[in-house]
Amino acid sequence: MNEINILWVDDEIDLLKPHIMFLEDKNYRVDTCKSGADAVEEVDRKNYDIIFLDENMPGLSGLEALSEIKAKRPNLPVVMITKSEEEYIMEEAIGSKIADYLIKPVNPNQILLSLKKNLDHSRLVSEKTTSSYQQEFRKIAMDLAMVNNHEEWSDLYRKLVYWEMELENIEDVGMIEILESQKIEANRQFGKFIEKQYPGWFEDEDAPVMSHTLFKELVVPEFKDDKPILLVVIDNLRYDQWKAFESVITNYYKKQSETSYYSILPTATQYARNAIFSGLMPLEMEKLHPDLWKNDTDEGGKNMHESDFLERQIRRLGLKINWEYHKISSLRAGKHLAQNFTSQKNNDLTVVVYNFVDMLSHSKTEMEVVKELASNDKAYRSLTLSWFKNSPLLEIIQQAQRLGFKLLITTDHGTINAKNPSKVIGDRDTSLNLRYKTGKSLTYEDKEVYAVKRPAEIHLPSINMSSSFIFAKDDLFFAYPNNYNHYVSYYKNTYQHGGISLEEMIIPFVVLNPK
């Protein structure tokens, strides 16, 4: 251990000789002084790792000395020690950002614990996290060999996300690489599972909740409480991104339940989000609502009729509710809704579709600055958290909490960091998405895709009689042979969606009640 320098400030320091000897036996270096004024001078003279500061001293008090020390060294941990249990002293000390607060008489082990907590915290947490993941690694590997239904895949994915976020704050590169290899293997196995099971889910009573059943199965039951509901659909939100900003929301809401559901294929906005609001698969949308549905090659926006789809689903389900729908695609629109949210107070349901995360992931391929900021999953989570803390969406949620709204948070699909190209050839009418393609006469690498020759089998429309769909697996993205190298370098390591991965398909649905 590097030498730790401690300054202990107490006007009765001679009585603390046994404590100081105890620490010196543990190889800590302890300097002492008897007044707040001396302590301030010592901090100027020498770099200390931590200070133990008596609160009740003649002359410059502990709190006054604390203020002067923090002005000089704002990041230096100071542990306040006091005989007094008066609340105002505790509050003032905590408000001055003390590292710990101990009540006299203190014993040597209390001092040692405070040192460990403040100086060895990162190392101890790192060692414990690494040790725990090493044990869990074997269990995950066994689970991966045994997993064979959609619930087990959801559980396994959530477990991988948990460990990814636990490991991201420690400096053990080896452990992080092991986890990455587990994620890659999990996605490989998950692709095989989806290819085998997905077509049967449309006739299976044990199928997971999917995009087209989400509203009926998970949203409608929440009306039983007679509380107004705010349903927020954050476009393109992965499960790990939800976990990144969950703690911000729980300042205002307490979590009632957290589950996950499966996005339909393609995991793309025009398919998955229209399915949420219509309660139908794309093939049925095309048949029942030809005035609202657009295929990939049709002109115009593909998600222009979500409100119309929702109106028809609400009518079909026989719900007698007051509701409004808002799509937020700009900062100005978000601020406007936040400022006027009280107008929603008489609604049974307020739906807010928030497009920011989708804009972020797409702009990552267009803007080099964002590409730098979100170079990997850890950075992508961090960027999402930073956005959320400063977004009008948080203001909207705060307003909803004050008005007593129940909060439902979900998304239409996730996204994956696409790292490796897969060659594909199609005609000029082939769709443009990088993780799925639909068109005729597609040529592709068989092992790298889930190919569906008859789209109607998975309830997707056909652009023409011989159209098929292909979905990229693993972390692949489709690239055309012409201008191949430029195309690959441009899109490599960008966030894409439309294909098959845990990140794209297994997505959050969270119910929260106002605090």
Side-chain angles (χ1 to χ4, degrees), residues 211 233-236 261 263 269 272-273 276 410-414 507:
S211 309
V233 181
I234 305 176
D235 195 14
N236 217 347
Y261 81 99
S263 170
T269 306
R273 203 159 76 205
I276 290 171
T410 192
T411 184
D412 46 8
H413 55 78
I507 46 182

Side-chain angles (χ1 to χ4, degrees), residues 404-468:
F405 275 70
K406 179 180 282 194
L407 175 62
L408 313 183
I409 293 181
T410 192
T411 184
D412 46 8
H413 55 78
T415 183
I416 189 169
N417 196 338
K419 296 176 180 174
N420 296 295
S422 177
K423 284 187 179 175
V424 66
I425 301 170
D427 64 21
R428 60 191 179 92
D429 291 328
T430 302
S431 61
L432 300 175
N433 189 286
L434 298 187
R435 290 275 294 165
Y436 80 91
K437 297 285 181 192
T438 181
K440 57 184 181 181
S441 308
L442 294 172
T443 304
Y444 46 84
E445 299 289 335
D446 283 339
K447 290 180 180 177
E448 296 176 350
V449 308
Y450 168 34
V452 180
K453 302 284 190 187
R454 291 182 291 280
E457 289 180 358
I458 57 169
H459 295 255
L460 295 179
S462 298
I463 294 169
N464 56 54
M465 291 291 287
S466 56
S467 282
S468 61

Side-chain angles (χ1 to χ4, degrees), residues 36-46 72:
D38 288 347
V40 174
E41 285 183 19
E42 280 292 303
V43 168
D44 274 336
R45 190 181 65 80
K46 185 173 177 179
K72 293 172 183 289

Side-chain angles (χ1 to χ4, degrees), residues 18 37 41 63 91 154 165 221 228 262 265 308 369 382 442 470 510:
E41 285 183 19
L63 286 171
E91 289 180 352
S154 292
M165 295 178 75
Y262 278 69
L265 296 174
D308 299 316
V369 175
S382 177
L442 294 172
I470 56 170
V510 190

Side-chain angles (χ1 to χ4, degrees), residues 118-184:
N118 285 290
L119 301 180
D120 286 352
H121 179 266
S122 296
R123 177 182 62 81
L124 295 171
V125 168
S126 176
E127 288 175 1
K128 176 63 177 171
T129 302
T130 300
S131 166
S132 298
Y133 175 63
Q134 284 172 334
Q135 294 173 15
E136 190 70 11
F137 168 80
R138 289 181 276 278
K139 187 173 186 310
I140 291 172
M142 288 172 61
D143 289 345
L144 199 46
M146 309 276 289
V147 61
N148 63 5
N149 63 51
H150 64 83
E151 292 106 330
E152 290 173 358
W153 272 114
S154 292
D155 291 343
L156 182 68
Y157 175 52
R158 285 200 293 265
K159 195 178 291 184
L160 286 169
V161 167
Y162 170 80
W163 283 109
E164 183 176 16
M165 295 178 75
E166 286 289 294
L167 290 172
E168 76 174 17
N169 294 316
I170 69 173
E171 299 302 316
D172 194 327
V173 176
M175 283 294 106
I176 292 167
E177 286 177 351
I178 290 170
L179 178 72
E180 277 299 312
S181 70
Q182 281 200 317
K183 278 175 64 184
I184 290 167

Side-chain angles (χ1 to χ4, degrees), residues 478-496:
F478 293 129
Y480 295 110
N482 48 332
N483 211 6
Y484 181 78
N485 290 333
H486 169 75
Y487 194 83
V488 168
S489 66
Y490 188 74
Y491 285 108
K492 186 179 177 67
N493 197 37
T494 63
Y495 285 88
Q496 304 295 336

